[in-house]
Structure formats: structure tokens, C-alpha cells
Amino acid sequence: MTAPLLSVRDLSAGFVAGERVLTAVDGVSFDLAAGETLALLGESGCGKSASALALMRLMPPGGRVLGGDVRFAGQDLFGLPEAAMRDVRGGGLAMIFQEPATSLNPVLTVGRQIGEALARHRGLSGAAAHARALELVSAVGIADAERRLGEYPFQLSGGMKQRVMIAIALAADPRVLIADEPTTALDVTIQAQILDLLRRLQAERGMGMLLITHDLGVVARMAQRVAVMYAGQIVEEAPREAFFSAPAHPYTRMLFAALPDLATRGGTLATIPGQVPALDELPSGCRFAPRCPQAVPRCRAEAPELRALPGRPEARVRCHLAESLGPALGAVPATRIETAHASAVAVSTAVLDVADLAVHFPIKRGLFKRTVGHVRAVDGVSLALAPGRTLALVGESGCGKTTVGKAVLQLIKPTGGSVRLAGKELVGLSRGQMRPLRRRLQMIFQDPFASLNPRLPVGEIIAEGMTALAEGARPQAELDAAIAALLAQVGLDPRAAQRYPHEFSGGQRQRIAIARALAVQPEVIVCDEPTSALDVSVQAQILNLLRGLQDELGLAYLFITHNFAVVDHLAHDVAVMYLGRIVERGTVDEVLRTPRHPYTQALLAAVPSPRLDDQKAVQRLPGETPSPAAPPAGCHFHPRCAQANDACRASYPEATRLSATHVVHCHRL
């Protein structure tokens, strides 16, 4: 039998807390062969990223590798001196980190950061390094590669920063790639390109891949084997087909039940009660027992071993009851009826009305920084938000979705257009005039780490808006109770109020950001990818929470996302953006069931399915999104559209109204 390329045995790692070391990774073992993809699944805080950092010997301050054996191509990594380990990192083992905003150097250009990897591991410099950097940036789907190499991370969207991270990881042609949520911030079309790129590299180089993800659709498309982690342990491991056809552990089955499904309009999603136990409160028996609806006294008293199932030697499970489990849990069925009349009435009573919104950023060059052009990030967007309704804004990364959200809240000054909140014009108001209106408009930002003050404990972060925008002072006891209730609402222990943002996982930080937005009881919330960093179980909790708050308080959501399953579950209306403009708009049923614009059709065709029996040929858009600094003449989508004709190249299409609510900009209708 061929030796594995990467072999991990009994890996344990933890973090120093006072005089104790709390175990975060407890006896993890797996093998990874050349050309194989092993997917590592589990909730935020289960130890997936810690396992990857431990085997790379990249534990943060306070982190400790407590034991185990890790061998790469037969070489003992824990026995290497640090100088030799630096050669292995990047050249042999490379890692795509979960949060590109904190992993990229903010004071170095994109080209310089890619060039460092090329110089260190490939010996390239000068023109050769620049040419290779251009190839890598183009390969991961970034338009206008020459300009982007000279830009800094803060000038890139979240999805673009993630693609730069992937380019850096691939720069040295590694033999094993550890991909920690590599497509979380990417839209479905770029996700398809990246996954295709990674699979092609595997085929060409025999590269092994450890794929850390919470996206079961990506797992279904990419992995040969799947391992599920919970509270620092692997609780189930199986080949892909066995994993999807017959999940064995109760935790795995509940993850599947929490998925929103494109094919079914759900009401309340199934959720997993409670949360992953804290490192200092791990149960003595089965670690999942406190949250398992099928647990028996033995589960709470005796820790199960990871064992093979009878008749299924290829699968292993850590559960006393694996052979006797009943059917998996499902979502609570409930279908909302959408009608054109209902949407038309809602728009007429809009709490937020946006008309011809434009945001153009000047391009300055030369010694005197003269304006030589404009980046048309948003170019004439109109939309309406009604109380109690959700408008989903979808499109590829860089199309202007986040800029629309920030311009609506006047966090970015619009170049033109109108934004009216309950009839009051916001464009042109001073900061002082906007201040009393801030309570009514809130935003959940895409990158929770960048939007949370690292110097304040979580309780103060949440209380900041409550005290700043309140009309009068509130007693501290009342404030503390409100903070505790908000943390519980988003699935966090109220004791988290005393901790700092860096002490939480990415998904937990996102929940803190949501609690902060809800704290001032707004009327309109701009949700910028609020579930992109969350695993499916917590995503279900957040979606249920957002829907429940909307039903109870009549909140209006502008929901910016690239997850169509979430759109189908939560949204009432959908607007599809491409290169700063809305190309199709209508109700969820109109846009997702009967899409008419070729771009919308391509987006839906690229959505990965989490069901093996629903795998389809993925439609991939040719080329890449043009730069908004130089949009194509005519229809902006025509260079990538297989149906384009001369009219598409000559003029931008006017709006075609297919129903009272369904509007499409396309010459081919």
C-alpha cells in the first residue's frame, strides 16, 4: 500500500489559560494521499482550524502542540528545526487562511506579497516574478490584474482578498494544500472557478488537499473522504458516498437537517440546541450528549471510541448508538405564498426608497494626483424596501453590492441619486443631521473581525450603540441584562460579554456583530453576507432569528449575499447586480424559478448542491468580470454572454417589465 503524503496521528493541541492548558484538539488522526481531498467539517470552534495550525506548527501565542506525530512525505515535521520548517511551509505544505483581512499585510501591495512567496520558494524576482504574479492573479479570477498588483488589501472587496490569499498559497506549487474555508467569501461563479482550479492542480501535480469548510455543497463536489469534528475530536469519518447517503453520527445528521434547500421554501429550520462546549467545560462522556436529542445515560457517563461500523469498515463513528438511530431530523415545513399584488403593495409603502443611486470613485494619477477616470462601483441603482420584507441583493464579488449598502447608510457619500428613509432624503445630510437617524438604519458588516474594536470587551462593543444613540442614560443593571439577552439570542453564552473579539472564532465574531446591529432596535438592517462565516447549524439559528425578528418587529432587510439557498429561504424579493447595475429584479419565485437574464441563469447554474443525487453539470461563465473603471460598451455582460448579438454590443438594454414586479434588462427577451 502506498504511504500517505500527509499522516497525522493522535494530534493534540491547546491554549494556555492562566496556569492551565485547555485542550482544543484531542487525539486527531487522519491520512491524506497524493491527489486526494479530505474535507474537515464541523461547527465554528470545533478545532478544525486549530488542527491545521498545529500540524503546520503555526499555533498563535498561547497555543501549544501537546502531542502527536505528523509526517509529510515520510518526514517528521515535529522533529524539524524552525529553519527547515520554513522551507516546508509554502513549498511543501501551503495554507489558505480563513480570514484574508487579518492574514494579508496591510502596508504591502498585492504584488509585493505574492512576490515574497515567489522569491522565497521559487527563486523568482524582477520581471519573471511579476509575470508569474500576473498569471496567478488572473487564474483566481481577479479582473484588471496589472492594476490590482499595485493595490493594497484595503482597496479590495472581501472576495478579492480571499482570491489573493489563494494566489499566494499556490505560488510555490505546494504538494499539500490546507484550505481553511477557501471559498467562504466568494460568489458561486468564482467559487466554481476556484474549485476547478484546485482540482486541475491536483490532477497535474498530485497535490493533496485538506479542505476545511462548512459548505456541504463544496464537500459534495470536491471531497473523496469526509471527517466531521466536534469539540476537538473527529466524531465521524467516511468516504463521500457513504457520508452523504447514510450519515451515522447524530451531529452529522442534524447538520444536514439545518440546511436551507433551494428546492423547498422552508419556515423554521431545524437547529442544534445549545452550542459547542467551552474548552474548560468539556463533558466527561460523549461531548455531544448535552445537545443530542437521542442521548441516553450511558452517553453522559462514558466517552465513546472512534470505531468502524458493522458492515461498513470504511466508515468510523464515535457514538454508542450509531446502529440504532432513527431517521434524521428535518426542517419544519412552511411555505410562504408570494404574489405580485403583495409585492406591489409593499413597494408602495416602502420605508426605504432608493432611486438612481450612483457611487463613482475617482482614479488619480501623476505627481499632482489628477483625476484621469472613475470607477463606477454603483451606476444607477433603484430599489425599495418595505417593512417586514427582505430584498436580497446578489451578484459576483466586486459588482457593487456592499457599496450600495454603505451608500444607503451614508457611510460612503453617493455621487448621485436619492435615498429616502420614510420620505426623508438622506443624501446631502451632514454627520450631525444623520446622527439621530442612525438608530433606524444599521449594518451587519461582511468582515466581523475588522468591524469589532479589538480593545473593547464584547459587552462594551454591543453597549456602545445603545448608549450613544439612546435619548437618556440607562441603569447599568438594565444595560447588562439587555446585553446578556442579545448574546443569548445569537447563540452565545452571556459570559462572553467579558471577553475580547480575538478570543472568538470567526463564526462567533459574526454573531457578535449581529447582536450589535440588533441592539438599537433598527427599522432597516443592511446585512452584508451575515451568514458567510457561519457553519450550517449556526446559520440556521441566525436565519430563524432574523425571520423571527422581522415577523415580530416588522424589520426591513437589505440582504447582500451570494448564497442562493439563504436567499430562497429568507428573502421576499431579489435584485441581481452586475458591474454596478441591477440586471434583473422580481420576487423570489420569479427570479429563482424563472430567471430570464443570462447572468442570473449562470449564477443559479453554478450553485453547488449538498445532495449527491442532485449533482448537475455546473455552468461556468467564460472570462472574468470586467473592471468597473472601464465597463464594456453596450450591455456590460455581453463579453461573457453566449447569446449576445450586435444590439447587445451597441447599447445598454432598457428595462423590460415581464410582470408587475419582474423587470429585466436584456435585448434578447
Side-chain angles (χ1 to χ4, degrees):
M1 182 177 178
T2 305
L5 187 57
L6 178 67
S7 177
V8 178
R9 290 289 175 272
D10 297 320
L11 178 64
S12 294
F15 297 92
V16 175
E19 297 181 355
R20 303 172 59 192
V21 177
L22 304 178
T23 302
V25 180
D26 189 6
V28 167
S29 299
F30 61 82
D31 290 328
L32 182 66
E36 179 187 39
T37 298
L38 170 66
L40 200 56
L41 283 171
E43 285 180 283
S44 180
C46 277
K48 307 184 300 296
S49 297
S51 298
L53 292 172
L55 70 89
M56 290 276 285
R57 290 172 52 183
L58 288 174
M59 293 293 285
R64 300 285 187 273
V65 175
L66 304 178
D69 181 73
V70 177
R71 295 183 180 272
F72 168 65
Q75 189 175 30
D76 179 9
L77 296 188
F78 287 173
L80 291 178
E82 179 57 27
M85 190 64 196
R86 291 195 195 103
D87 291 328
V88 174
R89 295 192 202 103
L93 291 166
M95 187 167 180
I96 302 168
F97 295 95
Q98 183 177 6
E99 293 185 350
T102 60
S103 301
L104 295 173
N105 192 323
V107 299
L108 296 182
T109 64
V110 168
R112 176 78 178 275
Q113 295 186 63
I114 297 175
E116 284 182 342
L118 292 171
R120 180 69 177 80
H121 298 289
R122 299 287 300 278
L124 297 179
S125 61
H130 183 76
R132 179 58 180 156
L134 282 175
E135 291 177 10
L136 288 164
V137 169
S138 299
V140 295
I142 297 179
D144 200 358
E146 185 71 51
R147 179 169 67 90
R148 295 299 187 186
L149 285 180
E151 292 185 339
Y152 293 86
F154 76 89
Q155 296 174 281
L156 307 179
S157 69
M160 287 183 181
K161 284 196 278 277
Q162 187 70 287
R163 282 177 268 175
V164 170
M165 277 296 306
I166 294 171
I168 293 172
L170 296 176
D173 299 330
R175 296 181 64 189
V176 171
L177 181 65
I178 300 172
D180 191 357
E181 303 283 4
T183 60
T184 293
L186 305 184
D187 54 82
V188 290
T189 55
I190 298 301
Q191 175 178 267
Q193 292 179 19
I194 295 300
L195 296 180
D196 280 351
L197 172 65
L198 294 176
R199 282 198 293 193
R200 178 171 59 80
L201 289 170
Q202 278 189 299
E204 291 174 354
R205 308 172 189 176
M207 183 176 68
M209 180 158 53
L210 178 62
L211 178 63
I212 299 171
T213 183
H214 61 253
D215 190 332
L216 285 162
V218 171
V219 173
R221 183 180 294 179
M222 292 290 291
Q224 284 80 48
R225 288 188 301 119
V226 185
V228 182
M229 282 194 74
Y230 184 80
Q233 298 178 329
I234 289 179
V235 297
E236 182 169 1
E237 183 181 359
R240 181 184 61 173
E241 288 73 16
F243 176 79
F244 280 92
S245 61
H249 198 279
Y251 176 58
T252 309
R253 296 152 76 93
M254 295 178 80
L255 288 178
F256 274 104
L259 285 171
D261 198 325
L262 272 174
T264 305
R265 185 72 55 79
T268 302
L269 291 169
T271 60
I272 305 176
Q275 54 196 328
V276 179
L279 298 183
D280 59 349
E281 297 178 349
L282 295 176
S284 57
C286 172
R287 295 182 178 180
F288 187 61
R291 307 174 69 190
C292 181
Q294 304 185 55
V296 297
R298 181 188 177 194
C299 302
R300 298 180 179 89
E302 180 185 340
E305 297 293 328
L306 188 63
R307 59 189 175 86
L309 288 172
R312 295 176 59 189
E314 78 287 353
R316 298 186 299 161
V317 65
R318 193 185 298 271
C319 179
H320 294 304
L321 310 174
E323 295 90 343
S324 58
L325 290 177
L329 299 176
V332 178
T335 301
R336 294 177 297 172
I337 306 300
E338 303 293 342
T339 65
H341 173 70
S343 292
V345 172
V347 171
S348 69
T349 58
V351 65
L352 186 72
D353 196 356
V354 180
D356 299 321
L357 183 66
V359 181
H360 298 169
F361 298 107
I363 301 172
K364 297 180 181 293
R365 289 184 183 150
L367 180 63
F368 298 102
K369 298 298 180 182
R370 293 189 175 93
T371 299
V372 297
H374 287 85
V375 175
R376 297 175 177 269
V378 179
D379 199 18
V381 165
S382 299
L383 50 87
L385 271 173
R389 292 184 71 84
T390 299
L391 171 64
L393 193 60
V394 300
E396 290 177 285
S397 178
C399 73
K401 306 186 299 297
T402 297
T403 306
V404 167
K406 290 181 177 179
V408 164
L409 272 65
Q410 306 302 298
L411 300 177
I412 293 176
K413 185 178 180 180
T415 307
S418 170
V419 179
R420 291 181 176 272
L421 176 65
K424 182 177 179 60
E425 179 62 60
L426 303 184
V427 175
L429 294 183
S430 67
R431 292 182 64 180
Q433 291 170 320
M434 272 298 301
R435 185 179 178 85
L437 301 173
R438 292 289 181 199
R439 188 196 64 77
R440 302 172 65 183
L441 292 165
Q442 286 292 302
M443 186 168 188
I444 301 168
F445 293 92
Q446 181 177 7
D447 186 348
F449 191 85
S451 67
L452 299 177
N453 190 329
R455 298 181 179 181
L456 295 181
V458 164
E460 289 187 30
I461 289 172
I462 295 174
E464 200 170 25
M466 299 166 70
T467 54
L469 300 178
E471 295 181 358
R474 300 176 65 177
Q476 188 61 44
E478 180 183 328
L479 201 60
D480 291 342
I483 292 167
L486 282 164
L487 289 170
Q489 269 189 317
V490 297
L492 290 174
D493 191 317
R495 290 176 297 176
Q498 307 303 319
R499 297 162 61 192
Y500 289 82
H502 73 271
E503 299 179 72
F504 295 89
S505 67
Q508 289 169 329
R509 282 195 286 266
Q510 189 67 286
R511 283 180 264 176
I512 294 167
I514 292 170
R516 178 181 59 182
L518 296 172
V520 294
Q521 300 178 343
E523 299 169 36
V524 176
I525 299 181
V526 177
C527 307
D528 189 4
E529 301 280 7
T531 62
S532 65
L534 305 182
D535 54 81
V536 292
S537 61
V538 179
Q539 174 182 269
Q541 294 175 16
I542 296 301
L543 293 179
N544 289 343
L545 171 64
L546 291 174
R547 171 174 284 175
L549 290 167
Q550 186 174 63
D551 293 342
E552 179 184 352
L553 305 174
L555 295 174
Y557 297 138
L558 177 60
F559 203 92
I560 299 167
T561 184
H562 60 255
N563 188 327
F564 279 92
V566 170
V567 170
D568 200 10
H569 179 77
L570 187 67
H572 301 83
D573 307 289
V574 184
V576 183
M577 278 192 76
Y578 185 78
L579 215 61
R581 298 183 180 183
I582 291 176
V583 298
E584 184 165 2
R585 183 175 65 245
T587 66
V588 167
D589 288 329
E590 289 170 336
V591 176
L592 299 192
R593 310 290 181 251
T594 57
R596 298 298 299 276
H597 197 281
Y599 178 59
T600 309
Q601 295 168 355
L603 288 178
L604 290 169
V607 176
S609 172
R611 315 290 181 188
L612 283 188
D613 57 0
D614 191 32
Q615 295 299 303
K616 57 184 181 295
V618 177
Q619 179 179 337
R620 294 169 182 84
L621 285 172
E624 56 191 32
T625 306
S627 170
C635 173
H636 292 347
F637 186 62
H638 85 259
R640 306 172 73 190
C641 181
Q643 305 175 40
N645 56 24
D646 291 339
C648 303
R649 300 177 183 92
S651 63
Y652 195 85
E654 296 294 327
T656 300
R657 187 169 292 278
L658 303 178
S659 72
T661 53
H662 198 181
V663 178
V664 184
H665 290 264
C666 183
H667 287 298
R668 301 286 298 182
L669 297 178

